[in-house]
Amino acid sequence: MKDLLYSSILLAMVMATAGCSDTPERSLPILGNREVVNGDTVYPTVQAFSFVDQDSQTVNNASFDGEAYVVDFFFIHCPTICPKVKVQCKRIYDRFLDNPHVLLLSHSIDVRNDTVAALHRYAEKLEIKTAKWHLVTGSEDEIYGMGDDYFSVARKDTTLPGGFDHSGRLILVDKNRHVRSFCDGTDPKEVDRFMDDIDLLLKEQYSPKK
Amino acid sequence: MLKRLLLLLLPLVLLQCDANTYPDGAAAYKAYCAGCHVEGGTGLGTLIPPVAGSDYMAANLKKLPCIIRYGLKDTIVVNGVVYSEEMVGIPQLNDVDITNLLNYIQHEWGAQDHHYTLGDVRQLLSECGE
């Protein structure tokens, strides 16, 4: 019995030491220009928005209240990068399907063609649940106006195939409306790293503190 | 003596075991196709059709070189599912690349493992070109 006690103590000590020697864990920065107001550091937050999703429901900041979400810009009749980005978004969707703290928000930048009905059909083809992944449309100015907050390009350009210019970037927003990570959504390896970042954020914001 | 012979034969056996018969086609698939049709060739939902086990491809072997080069705007039915999104052509791939790519896809996922020669592909491309 004494032996067991000693070995347990020894084991506990080894484990404690192992804990000490761990390198400090990587943490995600808050992206964007911070300001100092009255001695307090203020981080940029995503502005207030209100759009309509594939089920004709209003989607605004409150829709993501307390949860993290992944943002991108796309349009349905996009022949070039959008299908690749959607393949990667679907990977993220599948991986975090059972985690209520991760949602997805895709903005259509083709407000003329991508009506609610068109988005609804598109969502059916993607085989996704609206509550998890909102495909939204809204006023053109408001949608294009979100680009800066999400460090993304979203604008019309008739010289390009499809008629729009947009980055295939994915952006991770935390529950406090801070942008925490982004990646090139056309590159599966980048998206692997991005999903690790999502895990890290979940650990930071949703794991019980020790 | 027998042992030495076996030892000599070993590398040959190992080479035979290399499953990747079409490395150039595999590389082209990865670079130009896998982004949408996915690494395993399964496509995405009912948005992007599969290239693995596709009855449409088996029935349209002669159209495939042109589809790869010039894209596809028609609505098609693959394994009973309707697909209506446009596929863009891939003009970067030359005749040899397309031949390698098609043979890789056929070998990897085709129903009949149809083999294309460069001559076949050139002939088929000439029928749909400008």
Side-chain angles (χ1 to χ4, degrees), chain A residues 41-60:
Chain A
T41 307
V42 180
Y43 293 95
T45 52
V46 171
Q47 62 186 281
F49 58 81
S50 180
F51 300 119
V52 178
D53 73 12
Q54 67 264 42
D55 285 352
S56 233
Q57 302 298 303
T58 301
V59 172
N60 53 29

Side-chain angles (χ1 to χ4, degrees), chain A residues 46-65 67-72 74 103-108 116 119 123 128-139 142-143 146 150 173 177:
Chain A
V46 171
Q47 62 186 281
F49 58 81
S50 180
F51 300 119
V52 178
D53 73 12
Q54 67 264 42
D55 285 352
S56 233
Q57 302 298 303
T58 301
V59 172
N60 53 29
N61 309 76
S63 312
F64 302 98
D65 195 24
E67 315 297 2
Y69 62 103
V70 173
V71 175
D72 78 304
F74 81 112
L103 303 169
L104 292 99
L105 171 62
S106 293
H107 304 77
S108 164
V116 168
L119 291 173
I128 58 172
K129 292 183 208 160
T130 308
K132 184 81 181 171
W133 188 350
H134 301 281
L135 309 173
V136 297
T137 183
S139 91
E142 204 183 346
I143 289 201
M146 297 307 294
Y150 295 133
V173 182
R177 286 155 69 172

Side-chain angles (χ1 to χ4, degrees), chain B residues 7-128:
Chain B
L7 214 63
L8 275 170
L9 284 174
L10 189 66
L12 277 174
V13 174
L14 286 176
L15 277 174
Q16 287 294 310
C17 290
D18 185 0
N20 197 349
T21 328
Y22 298 98
D24 291 345
Y29 183 83
K30 200 165 181 211
Y32 294 99
C33 314
C36 299
H37 291 285
V38 181
E39 294 257 325
T42 52
L44 175 66
T46 57
L47 194 65
I48 300 167
V51 292
S54 157
D55 62 355
Y56 175 86
M57 287 175 70
N60 292 280
L61 291 171
K62 291 191 169 165
K63 283 191 191 167
L64 300 181
C66 292
I67 292 175
I68 293 172
R69 178 157 296 167
Y70 300 105
L72 185 66
K73 282 190 178 168
D74 305 340
T75 294
I76 59 170
V77 178
V78 182
N79 302 340
V81 178
V82 178
Y83 294 88
S84 51
E85 300 307 325
E86 177 186 353
M87 171 184 140
V88 282
I90 310 163
Q92 300 95 312
L93 296 176
N94 64 30
D95 300 356
V96 177
D97 297 332
I98 291 179
T99 310
N100 284 331
L101 176 59
L102 282 168
N103 283 329
Y104 167 73
I105 292 172
Q106 286 300 321
H107 179 77
E108 200 77 3
W109 303 303
Q112 310 108 311
D113 196 3
H114 178 81
H115 185 80
Y116 292 84
T117 65
L118 180 58
D120 296 339
V121 168
R122 288 208 163 126
Q123 176 61 34
L124 293 169
L125 284 171
S126 73
E127 287 165 18
C128 63

